[in-house]
Amino acid sequence: MTRLLAAALLLAPSWAAAHAFPDHSEPRVGHTVEASPPAVRIWFDGRIEPVFSKIRVEDTDRRQVDKGDSRVDPSDGTLLEVGLPALPSGRYRVFWSVVARDGHRTEGDFAFRVK
Ligand SMILES: [Cu+2]
């Protein structure tokens, strides 16, 4: 992600400068966790707008499995999170969509697995 962001910045500095991109997440992108995590958390490289920023977690049947309480942490404007119930073993996909302080939207998705 860092290398991709660096490339984007080189190609179009004024375009990319204020967009929000993920810095890291829990669970980590593509990783297998030993137990069902209590939440999915994504830290962005800049502040995001609470009203327009959301996470959704789906199982392999594309059913929403999160608690529907997606929010930006009130004490950390770069952290977007959503609660999870106890998830059975399996593969899950996280969809995120955020609006940066400059009004520009970025979105993406990644997978993780519960052992
Ligand atoms: Cu922007």
Side-chain angles (χ1 to χ4, degrees), residues 14-20 100 102-106:
S14 61
W15 174 83
H19 286 58
D102 68 352
H104 294 157
R105 182 176 294 279
T106 48

Side-chain angles (χ1 to χ4, degrees), residues 41-53:
R41 298 187 174 92
I42 306 175
W43 284 265
F44 288 84
D45 59 2
R47 293 178 65 85
I48 53 177
E49 293 290 349
V51 176
F52 302 108
S53 299

Side-chain angles (χ1 to χ4, degrees), residues 56-86:
R56 176 183 169 90
V57 184
E58 295 183 0
D59 65 14
T60 50
D61 295 325
R62 296 191 169 176
R63 279 190 300 249
Q64 184 172 6
V65 297
D66 60 73
K67 290 184 171 175
D69 58 354
S70 174
R71 64 166 196 165
V72 174
D73 187 322
S75 61
D76 180 354
T78 70
L79 169 57
L80 181 63
E81 59 187 352
V82 68
L84 294 175

Side-chain angles (χ1 to χ4, degrees), residues 17-28:
H19 286 58
F21 290 96
D23 181 70
H24 62 286
S25 67
E26 288 176 4
R28 286 155 67 188

